Amino acid sequence: MQQMLKNSIIYRPVAELRDFLRGETAGGVILIVSGALAMLAANSALAPLYLETLATYLGGLSVLHWINDGLMVLFFLLVGLEIKRELLEGQLRAWPARALPGVAAIGGMAVPALIYAAINWQEPSTLRGWAIPAATDIAFSLGVLSLFGSRVPVSLKIFLTALAILDDLGAIVIIAVFYTADLSLPMLGGAALVLALLVGLNLAGVRRLTPYLLLGVVLWWLTLQSGVHATVAGVLLALTIPLRRRDAAVDEAHSPLQRLEHALHPWSAYLVLPLFGFANAGVSLTGVTWPSLLQPVTLGVALGLLIGKQIGVFGAVLLMAKLGWARRPARATWLQVYGVSLLCGVGFTMSLFIGLLAFARTPELEAAMKIGVLSGSLLAMLAGALVLGLGSSKPVPATSGERITPQP
């Protein structure tokens, strides 16, 4: 019995990670297709129908707002669940394991933001978009990395997963702090009260998901009305969902958090994100010329993703290694680490989301932002795939329970 329990504890994280990577690979492919269809719709005879459908109002909100402020809450709820699980019981539960991806995530957010700010420094209206190139799209980046199969070590996939999760955490903080509208104190107070009730359910040991989800709907509505972006409600709800610790490992797979995470994953990967991509990636290329690609917003976003991400991530890993504070992921070459750093420049989902918040009332800047996100992400994806292809010629055998550990 003890041996069975031991095997369960050792191999379950590996199995969960394998399932997660498979889901993200498929989700990444669907995201690419949805983005391509959006560009096709926006640049064809279907453009009027495409735009009119998104602008149609249902129940007080447009279809576009229902997608961005409603459905995307499910995506942020899933992100919050993944962050909580990884920090408490996953690959990021120990501080040494957090150090390398954590510093890399900080570098990968800071340098792109600085590049964007340097290009847009004299334009206050465009400087608001400084955080757009700071995000990494986990579905796209893992999807590309997974195409190389066993030619890249598992530790490198774990490193990218951890980095992207911490990157998402940083993006959520940025959205909550820097991209909020005028605050309504009564609604904000109501949201705080509901959040307190959710925490109370957790502390009282309530394990049924229904009370959490019902209160979560109320939390979403109050947050939407408060001026804080509604998707933050998804993350706050996730943090209150119970996750049993190691002393209840036998029931770990059936904890409320993991049940909800597994239930949400296919909806997020195969419905929410593709709808978001289709609704927001469509931008007309009419009038787009080479000089227009050099305007500050487009150039700042594209260079931030393509150049800033690779400098920030790879530079952070290299600095940590040179100082002796960490080493690169086990059995990964420096060329492979550089390839992953390039893939971090694929910002699609989160970059578009932050860009829509930054330029919500300026359609021309929004269009320029979308072109920058699409071009920068595409170039980063192609460059990362090329570098990984050059640096990953032979299969790398996996070992059970492989983690982000220093090489011997």
Side-chain angles (χ1 to χ4, degrees):
M1 180 63 182
Q2 285 185 329
Q3 186 63 34
M4 291 178 61
L5 181 59
K6 182 179 179 181
N7 290 340
S8 174
I9 295 174
I10 292 176
Y11 291 111
R12 183 177 292 135
V14 177
E16 287 179 353
L17 179 64
R18 189 184 302 117
D19 292 339
F20 179 72
L21 292 175
R22 286 174 180 169
E24 294 298 340
T25 302
V29 173
I30 295 174
L31 260 180
I32 293 174
V33 173
S34 67
L37 289 176
M39 290 295 294
L40 180 63
N43 293 276
S44 68
L46 296 173
L49 177 62
Y50 172 75
L51 296 174
E52 289 171 8
T53 301
L54 292 176
T56 301
Y57 271 75
L58 298 172
L61 293 175
S62 68
V63 172
L64 182 61
H65 278 107
W66 274 117
I67 293 172
N68 293 346
D69 296 341
L71 283 180
M72 281 297 285
V73 174
L74 298 179
F75 167 72
F76 278 86
L77 173 58
L78 179 62
V79 169
L81 294 172
E82 290 169 350
I83 289 173
K84 180 174 180 178
R85 176 174 53 79
E86 288 296 324
L87 289 175
L88 294 182
E89 294 190 341
Q91 301 296 335
L92 300 175
R93 69 181 181 274
W95 281 107
R98 298 172 188 172
L100 186 61
V103 173
I106 293 172
M109 298 185 76
V111 178
L114 290 174
I115 288 178
Y116 181 94
I119 295 174
N120 291 268
W121 188 252
Q122 296 180 334
E123 295 289 338
S125 61
T126 62
L127 187 58
R128 180 172 168 77
W130 61 270
I132 297 170
T136 294
D137 191 303
I138 189 171
F140 265 126
S141 55
L142 280 174
V144 175
L145 187 62
S146 297
L147 294 177
F148 294 90
S150 60
R151 287 186 292 165
V152 295
V154 173
S155 64
L156 199 61
K157 299 176 183 178
I158 295 174
F159 168 74
L160 178 57
T161 302
L163 189 155
I165 287 174
L166 293 173
D167 190 287
D168 282 345
L169 178 59
I172 290 165
V173 173
I174 288 173
I175 291 170
V177 175
F178 296 100
Y179 295 104
T180 57
D182 295 332
L183 295 179
S184 168
L185 293 181
M187 292 297 177
L188 201 59
L193 178 60
V194 174
L195 182 61
L197 292 174
L198 286 165
V199 173
L201 289 177
N202 186 300
L203 295 176
V206 177
R207 290 293 183 264
R208 292 183 58 194
L209 282 171
T210 303
Y212 292 96
L213 298 180
L214 290 176
L215 284 174
V217 174
V218 179
L219 179 64
W220 167 79
W221 186 84
L222 290 170
T223 306
L224 179 65
Q225 302 300 319
S226 72
V228 178
H229 199 271
T231 51
V232 175
V235 180
L236 294 176
L237 172 61
L239 298 181
T240 67
I241 303 296
L243 173 64
R244 294 181 181 176
R245 298 182 180 274
R246 290 288 172 183
D247 54 358
V250 69
D251 295 321
E252 201 173 90
H254 303 291
S255 71
L257 185 145
Q258 291 195 332
R259 293 203 313 271
L260 183 57
E261 183 181 348
H262 289 308
L264 282 176
H265 199 282
W267 289 100
S268 175
Y270 306 133
L271 177 65
V272 175
L273 289 183
L275 277 176
F276 175 83
F278 182 75
N280 293 284
V283 56
S284 175
L285 299 180
T286 303
V288 174
T289 61
W290 285 110
S292 69
L293 296 177
L294 300 179
Q295 61 178 301
V297 171
T298 303
L299 189 63
V301 172
L303 291 183
L305 290 172
L306 179 61
I307 305 299
K309 275 291 185 180
Q310 60 173 294
I311 293 176
V313 174
F314 188 74
V317 175
L318 190 61
L319 180 63
M320 292 279 283
K322 292 297 183 182
L323 293 175
W325 294 346
R327 295 186 183 182
R328 65 182 184 269
R331 291 180 296 165
T333 67
W334 280 115
L335 188 59
Q336 289 174 326
V337 174
Y338 178 60
V340 165
S341 302
L342 282 165
L343 288 185
C344 290
V346 181
F348 193 73
T349 303
M350 291 298 279
S351 290
L352 281 176
F353 193 86
I354 294 175
L356 293 170
L357 297 178
F359 303 131
R361 296 178 178 84
T362 48
E364 64 279 1
L365 294 181
E366 185 179 300
M369 173 274 298
K370 289 181 179 181
I371 293 174
V373 170
L374 294 175
S375 58
S377 296
L378 179 61
L379 291 173
M381 180 173 62
L382 294 176
L386 177 62
V387 170
L388 285 169
L390 294 174
S392 307
S393 57
K394 296 180 180 179
V396 180
T399 59
S400 62
E402 188 170 14
R403 300 181 185 276
I404 309 172
T405 53
Q407 293 182 350

mmCIF file of all heavy atoms in Angstrom, residues 69 113 116 125-134 170-183 227-232 350-351 353-361:
data_model
loop_
_atom_site.group_PDB
_atom_site.id
_atom_site.type_symbol
_atom_site.label_atom_id
_atom_site.label_comp_id
_atom_site.label_asym_id
_atom_site.label_seq_id
_atom_site.Cartn_x
_atom_site.Cartn_y
_atom_site.Cartn_z
ATOM 1 N N ASP A 69 -15.123 40.310 -21.564
ATOM 2 C CA ASP A 69 -15.378 40.532 -20.141
ATOM 3 C C ASP A 69 -16.132 39.386 -19.472
ATOM 4 O O ASP A 69 -16.214 39.345 -18.236
ATOM 5 C CB ASP A 69 -16.199 41.814 -19.941
ATOM 6 C CG ASP A 69 -15.437 43.051 -20.389
ATOM 7 O OD1 ASP A 69 -14.205 42.967 -20.499
ATOM 8 O OD2 ASP A 69 -16.075 44.090 -20.632
ATOM 9 N N ALA A 113 8.925 45.864 -21.908
ATOM 10 C CA ALA A 113 8.244 47.096 -21.486
ATOM 11 C C ALA A 113 9.158 48.305 -21.657
ATOM 12 O O ALA A 113 8.715 49.377 -22.086
ATOM 13 C CB ALA A 113 7.784 46.969 -20.031
ATOM 14 N N TYR A 116 9.429 49.157 -25.419
ATOM 15 C CA TYR A 116 8.219 49.862 -25.857
ATOM 16 C C TYR A 116 8.218 51.294 -25.340
ATOM 17 O O TYR A 116 7.910 52.240 -26.080
ATOM 18 C CB TYR A 116 6.976 49.125 -25.369
ATOM 19 C CG TYR A 116 5.682 49.785 -25.815
ATOM 20 C CD1 TYR A 116 5.034 49.371 -26.966
ATOM 21 C CD2 TYR A 116 5.125 50.845 -25.083
ATOM 22 C CE1 TYR A 116 3.860 49.991 -27.390
ATOM 23 C CE2 TYR A 116 3.961 51.460 -25.497
ATOM 24 C CZ TYR A 116 3.329 51.026 -26.652
ATOM 25 O OH TYR A 116 2.186 51.650 -27.070
ATOM 26 N N SER A 125 -0.201 59.293 -25.024
ATOM 27 C CA SER A 125 -1.362 58.494 -25.424
ATOM 28 C C SER A 125 -0.979 57.072 -25.804
ATOM 29 O O SER A 125 -1.768 56.142 -25.618
ATOM 30 C CB SER A 125 -2.083 59.165 -26.603
ATOM 31 O OG SER A 125 -1.216 59.258 -27.727
ATOM 32 N N THR A 126 0.220 56.887 -26.329
ATOM 33 C CA THR A 126 0.654 55.542 -26.722
ATOM 34 C C THR A 126 1.490 54.868 -25.636
ATOM 35 O O THR A 126 1.592 53.639 -25.598
ATOM 36 C CB THR A 126 1.470 55.586 -28.025
ATOM 37 O OG1 THR A 126 2.663 56.374 -27.819
ATOM 38 C CG2 THR A 126 0.649 56.204 -29.140
ATOM 39 N N LEU A 127 2.084 55.663 -24.745
ATOM 40 C CA LEU A 127 2.907 55.095 -23.675
ATOM 41 C C LEU A 127 2.090 54.196 -22.761
ATOM 42 O O LEU A 127 2.630 53.304 -22.099
ATOM 43 C CB LEU A 127 3.546 56.225 -22.864
ATOM 44 C CG LEU A 127 4.568 55.836 -21.796
ATOM 45 C CD1 LEU A 127 5.728 55.064 -22.413
ATOM 46 C CD2 LEU A 127 5.066 57.068 -21.057
ATOM 47 N N ARG A 128 0.769 54.403 -22.751
ATOM 48 C CA ARG A 128 -0.134 53.600 -21.914
ATOM 49 C C ARG A 128 -0.051 52.116 -22.259
ATOM 50 O O ARG A 128 -0.395 51.264 -21.449
ATOM 51 C CB ARG A 128 -1.570 54.110 -22.093
ATOM 52 C CG ARG A 128 -2.607 53.371 -21.292
ATOM 53 C CD ARG A 128 -3.961 54.053 -21.366
ATOM 54 N NE ARG A 128 -5.029 53.232 -20.845
ATOM 55 C CZ ARG A 128 -5.268 53.032 -19.554
ATOM 56 N NH1 ARG A 128 -4.496 53.598 -18.647
ATOM 57 N NH2 ARG A 128 -6.279 52.275 -19.157
ATOM 58 N N GLY A 129 0.432 51.800 -23.439
ATOM 59 C CA GLY A 129 0.514 50.398 -23.851
ATOM 60 C C GLY A 129 1.825 49.721 -23.505
ATOM 61 O O GLY A 129 2.153 48.675 -24.076
ATOM 62 N N TRP A 130 2.560 50.253 -22.533
ATOM 63 C CA TRP A 130 3.888 49.718 -22.202
ATOM 64 C C TRP A 130 3.886 48.236 -21.819
ATOM 65 O O TRP A 130 4.872 47.523 -22.016
ATOM 66 C CB TRP A 130 4.491 50.524 -21.042
ATOM 67 C CG TRP A 130 3.693 50.468 -19.770
ATOM 68 C CD1 TRP A 130 2.701 51.298 -19.390
ATOM 69 C CD2 TRP A 130 3.821 49.493 -18.716
ATOM 70 N NE1 TRP A 130 2.183 50.935 -18.173
ATOM 71 C CE2 TRP A 130 2.858 49.830 -17.723
ATOM 72 C CE3 TRP A 130 4.654 48.397 -18.499
ATOM 73 C CZ2 TRP A 130 2.702 49.097 -16.556
ATOM 74 C CZ3 TRP A 130 4.494 47.652 -17.337
ATOM 75 C CH2 TRP A 130 3.537 48.002 -16.376
ATOM 76 N N ALA A 131 2.775 47.743 -21.267
ATOM 77 C CA ALA A 131 2.732 46.354 -20.787
ATOM 78 C C ALA A 131 2.340 45.356 -21.870
ATOM 79 O O ALA A 131 2.386 44.145 -21.630
ATOM 80 C CB ALA A 131 1.763 46.235 -19.611
ATOM 81 N N ILE A 132 1.977 45.833 -23.067
ATOM 82 C CA ILE A 132 1.483 44.920 -24.113
ATOM 83 C C ILE A 132 2.503 43.838 -24.478
ATOM 84 O O ILE A 132 2.160 42.654 -24.546
ATOM 85 C CB ILE A 132 1.064 45.719 -25.363
ATOM 86 C CG1 ILE A 132 -0.105 46.646 -25.026
ATOM 87 C CG2 ILE A 132 0.676 44.778 -26.505
ATOM 88 C CD1 ILE A 132 -0.439 47.641 -26.124
ATOM 89 N N PRO A 133 3.774 44.178 -24.714
ATOM 90 C CA PRO A 133 4.726 43.124 -25.108
ATOM 91 C C PRO A 133 5.311 42.344 -23.933
ATOM 92 O O PRO A 133 6.209 41.521 -24.119
ATOM 93 C CB PRO A 133 5.823 43.914 -25.833
ATOM 94 C CG PRO A 133 5.818 45.245 -25.168
ATOM 95 C CD PRO A 133 4.379 45.516 -24.787
ATOM 96 N N ALA A 134 4.808 42.594 -22.716
ATOM 97 C CA ALA A 134 5.374 41.942 -21.533
ATOM 98 C C ALA A 134 4.831 40.538 -21.304
ATOM 99 O O ALA A 134 5.314 39.822 -20.430
ATOM 100 C CB ALA A 134 5.116 42.793 -20.293
ATOM 101 N N GLY A 170 2.198 37.875 -13.339
ATOM 102 C CA GLY A 170 2.608 39.261 -13.469
ATOM 103 C C GLY A 170 1.637 40.070 -14.307
ATOM 104 O O GLY A 170 1.325 41.224 -13.983
ATOM 105 N N ALA A 171 1.145 39.480 -15.401
ATOM 106 C CA ALA A 171 0.189 40.172 -16.263
ATOM 107 C C ALA A 171 -1.110 40.471 -15.521
ATOM 108 O O ALA A 171 -1.707 41.544 -15.699
ATOM 109 C CB ALA A 171 -0.092 39.333 -17.508
ATOM 110 N N ILE A 172 -1.546 39.536 -14.683
ATOM 111 C CA ILE A 172 -2.779 39.744 -13.905
ATOM 112 C C ILE A 172 -2.609 40.908 -12.942
ATOM 113 O O ILE A 172 -3.505 41.748 -12.793
ATOM 114 C CB ILE A 172 -3.139 38.453 -13.145
ATOM 115 C CG1 ILE A 172 -3.607 37.369 -14.126
ATOM 116 C CG2 ILE A 172 -4.233 38.712 -12.115
ATOM 117 C CD1 ILE A 172 -3.640 35.984 -13.532
ATOM 118 N N VAL A 173 -1.457 40.979 -12.287
ATOM 119 C CA VAL A 173 -1.184 42.095 -11.369
ATOM 120 C C VAL A 173 -1.180 43.419 -12.130
ATOM 121 O O VAL A 173 -1.739 44.422 -11.677
ATOM 122 C CB VAL A 173 0.165 41.880 -10.648
ATOM 123 C CG1 VAL A 173 0.537 43.115 -9.835
ATOM 124 C CG2 VAL A 173 0.102 40.648 -9.752
ATOM 125 N N ILE A 174 -0.564 43.427 -13.314
ATOM 126 C CA ILE A 174 -0.515 44.644 -14.134
ATOM 127 C C ILE A 174 -1.922 45.091 -14.515
ATOM 128 O O ILE A 174 -2.263 46.274 -14.427
ATOM 129 C CB ILE A 174 0.338 44.399 -15.395
ATOM 130 C CG1 ILE A 174 1.816 44.317 -15.019
ATOM 131 C CG2 ILE A 174 0.119 45.510 -16.424
ATOM 132 C CD1 ILE A 174 2.719 43.906 -16.162
ATOM 133 N N ILE A 175 -2.762 44.144 -14.935
ATOM 134 C CA ILE A 175 -4.139 44.478 -15.308
ATOM 135 C C ILE A 175 -4.892 45.075 -14.127
ATOM 136 O O ILE A 175 -5.584 46.093 -14.249
ATOM 137 C CB ILE A 175 -4.868 43.229 -15.837
ATOM 138 C CG1 ILE A 175 -4.278 42.807 -17.198
ATOM 139 C CG2 ILE A 175 -6.370 43.488 -15.973
ATOM 140 C CD1 ILE A 175 -4.773 41.457 -17.684
ATOM 141 N N ALA A 176 -4.739 44.457 -12.948
ATOM 142 C CA ALA A 176 -5.472 44.915 -11.769
ATOM 143 C C ALA A 176 -5.012 46.287 -11.310
ATOM 144 O O ALA A 176 -5.822 47.111 -10.864
ATOM 145 C CB ALA A 176 -5.315 43.901 -10.638
ATOM 146 N N VAL A 177 -3.708 46.573 -11.432
ATOM 147 C CA VAL A 177 -3.162 47.814 -10.888
ATOM 148 C C VAL A 177 -3.217 48.969 -11.882
ATOM 149 O O VAL A 177 -3.583 50.099 -11.529
ATOM 150 C CB VAL A 177 -1.703 47.590 -10.418
ATOM 151 C CG1 VAL A 177 -1.070 48.911 -9.968
ATOM 152 C CG2 VAL A 177 -1.649 46.578 -9.286
ATOM 153 N N PHE A 178 -2.875 48.682 -13.159
ATOM 154 C CA PHE A 178 -2.681 49.773 -14.116
ATOM 155 C C PHE A 178 -3.822 49.957 -15.113
ATOM 156 O O PHE A 178 -3.897 50.986 -15.771
ATOM 157 C CB PHE A 178 -1.377 49.556 -14.893
ATOM 158 C CG PHE A 178 -0.144 49.613 -14.034
ATOM 159 C CD1 PHE A 178 0.469 48.447 -13.607
ATOM 160 C CD2 PHE A 178 0.377 50.834 -13.642
ATOM 161 C CE1 PHE A 178 1.610 48.500 -12.812
ATOM 162 C CE2 PHE A 178 1.515 50.899 -12.853
ATOM 163 C CZ PHE A 178 2.136 49.729 -12.429
ATOM 164 N N TYR A 179 -4.684 48.968 -15.262
ATOM 165 C CA TYR A 179 -5.727 49.078 -16.283
ATOM 166 C C TYR A 179 -7.119 48.953 -15.680
ATOM 167 O O TYR A 179 -7.920 48.110 -16.075
ATOM 168 C CB TYR A 179 -5.503 48.034 -17.382
ATOM 169 C CG TYR A 179 -4.220 48.275 -18.144
ATOM 170 C CD1 TYR A 179 -3.096 47.491 -17.920
ATOM 171 C CD2 TYR A 179 -4.121 49.304 -19.074
ATOM 172 C CE1 TYR A 179 -1.913 47.724 -18.605
ATOM 173 C CE2 TYR A 179 -2.946 49.546 -19.771
ATOM 174 C CZ TYR A 179 -1.844 48.754 -19.531
ATOM 175 O OH TYR A 179 -0.673 48.987 -20.214
ATOM 176 N N THR A 180 -7.380 49.778 -14.709
ATOM 177 C CA THR A 180 -8.712 49.846 -14.112
ATOM 178 C C THR A 180 -9.347 51.185 -14.451
ATOM 179 O O THR A 180 -8.653 52.196 -14.600
ATOM 180 C CB THR A 180 -8.653 49.694 -12.583
ATOM 181 O OG1 THR A 180 -7.789 50.713 -12.052
ATOM 182 C CG2 THR A 180 -8.123 48.338 -12.196
ATOM 183 N N ALA A 181 -10.657 51.198 -14.575
ATOM 184 C CA ALA A 181 -11.383 52.436 -14.882
ATOM 185 C C ALA A 181 -11.680 53.166 -13.570
ATOM 186 O O ALA A 181 -11.150 52.829 -12.508
ATOM 187 C CB ALA A 181 -12.665 52.106 -15.634
ATOM 188 N N ASP A 182 -12.540 54.173 -13.622
ATOM 189 C CA ASP A 182 -12.947 54.884 -12.409
ATOM 190 C C ASP A 182 -13.629 53.900 -11.465
ATOM 191 O O ASP A 182 -14.525 53.146 -11.852
ATOM 192 C CB ASP A 182 -13.910 56.019 -12.762
ATOM 193 C CG ASP A 182 -13.232 57.089 -13.605
ATOM 194 O OD1 ASP A 182 -12.000 57.246 -13.463
ATOM 195 O OD2 ASP A 182 -13.932 57.742 -14.401
ATOM 196 N N LEU A 183 -13.190 53.889 -10.228
ATOM 197 C CA LEU A 183 -13.676 52.893 -9.277
ATOM 198 C C LEU A 183 -14.997 53.309 -8.633
ATOM 199 O O LEU A 183 -15.205 54.470 -8.295
ATOM 200 C CB LEU A 183 -12.625 52.670 -8.187
ATOM 201 C CG LEU A 183 -11.294 52.063 -8.635
ATOM 202 C CD1 LEU A 183 -10.350 51.937 -7.453
ATOM 203 C CD2 LEU A 183 -11.518 50.711 -9.287
ATOM 204 N N GLY A 227 -15.312 48.853 -11.784
ATOM 205 C CA GLY A 227 -14.257 49.556 -12.504
ATOM 206 C C GLY A 227 -12.999 48.729 -12.625
ATOM 207 O O GLY A 227 -12.170 48.970 -13.516
ATOM 208 N N VAL A 228 -12.802 47.753 -11.738
ATOM 209 C CA VAL A 228 -11.711 46.791 -11.887
ATOM 210 C C VAL A 228 -12.112 45.828 -12.987
ATOM 211 O O VAL A 228 -13.280 45.431 -13.068
ATOM 212 C CB VAL A 228 -11.455 46.031 -10.567
ATOM 213 C CG1 VAL A 228 -10.360 44.989 -10.743
ATOM 214 C CG2 VAL A 228 -11.087 47.012 -9.466
ATOM 215 N N HIS A 229 -11.151 45.426 -13.844
ATOM 216 C CA HIS A 229 -11.553 44.575 -14.953
ATOM 217 C C HIS A 229 -12.127 43.258 -14.442
ATOM 218 O O HIS A 229 -11.599 42.630 -13.520
ATOM 219 C CB HIS A 229 -10.389 44.297 -15.896
ATOM 220 C CG HIS A 229 -10.846 43.822 -17.227
ATOM 221 N ND1 HIS A 229 -11.060 42.495 -17.507
ATOM 222 C CD2 HIS A 229 -11.189 44.498 -18.346
ATOM 223 C CE1 HIS A 229 -11.499 42.380 -18.747
ATOM 224 N NE2 HIS A 229 -11.579 43.572 -19.281
ATOM 225 N N ALA A 230 -13.205 42.836 -15.070
ATOM 226 C CA ALA A 230 -13.984 41.693 -14.571
ATOM 227 C C ALA A 230 -13.190 40.401 -14.512
ATOM 228 O O ALA A 230 -13.479 39.531 -13.687
ATOM 229 C CB ALA A 230 -15.227 41.502 -15.442
ATOM 230 N N THR A 231 -12.186 40.244 -15.382
ATOM 231 C CA THR A 231 -11.432 38.989 -15.394
ATOM 232 C C THR A 231 -10.642 38.777 -14.108
ATOM 233 O O THR A 231 -10.293 37.639 -13.774
ATOM 234 C CB THR A 231 -10.476 38.957 -16.596
ATOM 235 O OG1 THR A 231 -9.697 40.167 -16.618
ATOM 236 C CG2 THR A 231 -11.247 38.848 -17.894
ATOM 237 N N VAL A 232 -10.354 39.860 -13.380
ATOM 238 C CA VAL A 232 -9.666 39.715 -12.094
ATOM 239 C C VAL A 232 -10.496 38.873 -11.135
ATOM 240 O O VAL A 232 -9.956 38.155 -10.282
ATOM 241 C CB VAL A 232 -9.365 41.105 -11.494
ATOM 242 C CG1 VAL A 232 -8.758 40.990 -10.098
ATOM 243 C CG2 VAL A 232 -8.422 41.885 -12.413
ATOM 244 N N MET A 350 -2.539 37.157 -24.220
ATOM 245 C CA MET A 350 -2.411 38.135 -23.144
ATOM 246 C C MET A 350 -2.012 39.503 -23.673
ATOM 247 O O MET A 350 -2.451 40.532 -23.151
ATOM 248 C CB MET A 350 -1.405 37.640 -22.110
ATOM 249 C CG MET A 350 -1.885 36.443 -21.313
ATOM 250 S SD MET A 350 -3.368 36.775 -20.323
ATOM 251 C CE MET A 350 -2.654 37.584 -18.898
ATOM 252 N N SER A 351 -1.175 39.550 -24.706
ATOM 253 C CA SER A 351 -0.779 40.840 -25.281
ATOM 254 C C SER A 351 -1.973 41.544 -25.912
ATOM 255 O O SER A 351 -2.164 42.756 -25.737
ATOM 256 C CB SER A 351 0.329 40.639 -26.318
ATOM 257 O OG SER A 351 1.537 40.251 -25.709
ATOM 258 N N PHE A 353 -5.042 41.077 -25.089
ATOM 259 C CA PHE A 353 -5.965 41.426 -24.006
ATOM 260 C C PHE A 353 -5.539 42.731 -23.335
ATOM 261 O O PHE A 353 -6.354 43.634 -23.117
ATOM 262 C CB PHE A 353 -6.015 40.293 -22.978
ATOM 263 C CG PHE A 353 -7.146 40.416 -22.001
ATOM 264 C CD1 PHE A 353 -8.394 39.919 -22.316
ATOM 265 C CD2 PHE A 353 -6.963 41.046 -20.783
ATOM 266 C CE1 PHE A 353 -9.454 40.040 -21.423
ATOM 267 C CE2 PHE A 353 -8.006 41.170 -19.886
ATOM 268 C CZ PHE A 353 -9.256 40.664 -20.210
ATOM 269 N N ILE A 354 -4.253 42.851 -23.008
ATOM 270 C CA ILE A 354 -3.763 44.076 -22.384
ATOM 271 C C ILE A 354 -3.875 45.246 -23.355
ATOM 272 O O ILE A 354 -4.230 46.368 -22.964
ATOM 273 C CB ILE A 354 -2.304 43.892 -21.918
ATOM 274 C CG1 ILE A 354 -2.239 42.858 -20.792
ATOM 275 C CG2 ILE A 354 -1.713 45.212 -21.448
ATOM 276 C CD1 ILE A 354 -0.837 42.512 -20.344
ATOM 277 N N GLY A 355 -3.598 45.002 -24.642
ATOM 278 C CA GLY A 355 -3.707 46.062 -25.640
ATOM 279 C C GLY A 355 -5.120 46.595 -25.778
ATOM 280 O O GLY A 355 -5.326 47.810 -25.948
ATOM 281 N N LEU A 356 -6.103 45.712 -25.677
ATOM 282 C CA LEU A 356 -7.496 46.145 -25.758
ATOM 283 C C LEU A 356 -7.872 47.012 -24.566
ATOM 284 O O LEU A 356 -8.684 47.929 -24.681
ATOM 285 C CB LEU A 356 -8.417 44.925 -25.835
ATOM 286 C CG LEU A 356 -8.308 44.088 -27.118
ATOM 287 C CD1 LEU A 356 -9.082 42.795 -26.967
ATOM 288 C CD2 LEU A 356 -8.808 44.877 -28.318
ATOM 289 N N LEU A 357 -7.289 46.717 -23.411
ATOM 290 C CA LEU A 357 -7.539 47.554 -22.232
ATOM 291 C C LEU A 357 -6.836 48.903 -22.358
ATOM 292 O O LEU A 357 -7.379 49.936 -21.966
ATOM 293 C CB LEU A 357 -7.055 46.835 -20.968
ATOM 294 C CG LEU A 357 -7.752 45.523 -20.603
ATOM 295 C CD1 LEU A 357 -7.107 44.920 -19.361
ATOM 296 C CD2 LEU A 357 -9.238 45.738 -20.361
ATOM 297 N N ALA A 358 -5.624 48.893 -22.909
ATOM 298 C CA ALA A 358 -4.830 50.118 -23.005
ATOM 299 C C ALA A 358 -5.428 51.118 -23.997
ATOM 300 O O ALA A 358 -5.414 52.325 -23.762
ATOM 301 C CB ALA A 358 -3.396 49.781 -23.386
ATOM 302 N N PHE A 359 -5.953 50.598 -25.125
ATOM 303 C CA PHE A 359 -6.426 51.483 -26.197
ATOM 304 C C PHE A 359 -7.900 51.257 -26.502
ATOM 305 O O PHE A 359 -8.320 51.231 -27.657
ATOM 306 C CB PHE A 359 -5.590 51.259 -27.463
ATOM 307 C CG PHE A 359 -4.114 51.470 -27.261
ATOM 308 C CD1 PHE A 359 -3.200 50.529 -27.703
ATOM 309 C CD2 PHE A 359 -3.646 52.605 -26.620
ATOM 310 C CE1 PHE A 359 -1.835 50.719 -27.522
ATOM 311 C CE2 PHE A 359 -2.282 52.808 -26.432
ATOM 312 C CZ PHE A 359 -1.375 51.863 -26.875
ATOM 313 N N ALA A 360 -8.698 51.109 -25.453
ATOM 314 C CA ALA A 360 -10.114 50.774 -25.615
ATOM 315 C C ALA A 360 -10.891 51.842 -26.370
ATOM 316 O O ALA A 360 -11.855 51.535 -27.069
ATOM 317 C CB ALA A 360 -10.746 50.544 -24.244
ATOM 318 N N ARG A 361 -10.494 53.095 -26.262
ATOM 319 C CA ARG A 361 -11.270 54.191 -26.870
ATOM 320 C C ARG A 361 -10.578 54.800 -28.085
ATOM 321 O O ARG A 361 -10.978 55.863 -28.551
ATOM 322 C CB ARG A 361 -11.526 55.278 -25.816
ATOM 323 C CG ARG A 361 -12.391 54.811 -24.653
ATOM 324 C CD ARG A 361 -12.573 55.918 -23.630
ATOM 325 N NE ARG A 361 -13.436 55.496 -22.540
ATOM 326 C CZ ARG A 361 -13.008 54.815 -21.481
ATOM 327 N NH1 ARG A 361 -11.740 54.488 -21.377
ATOM 328 N NH2 ARG A 361 -13.850 54.466 -20.522
#
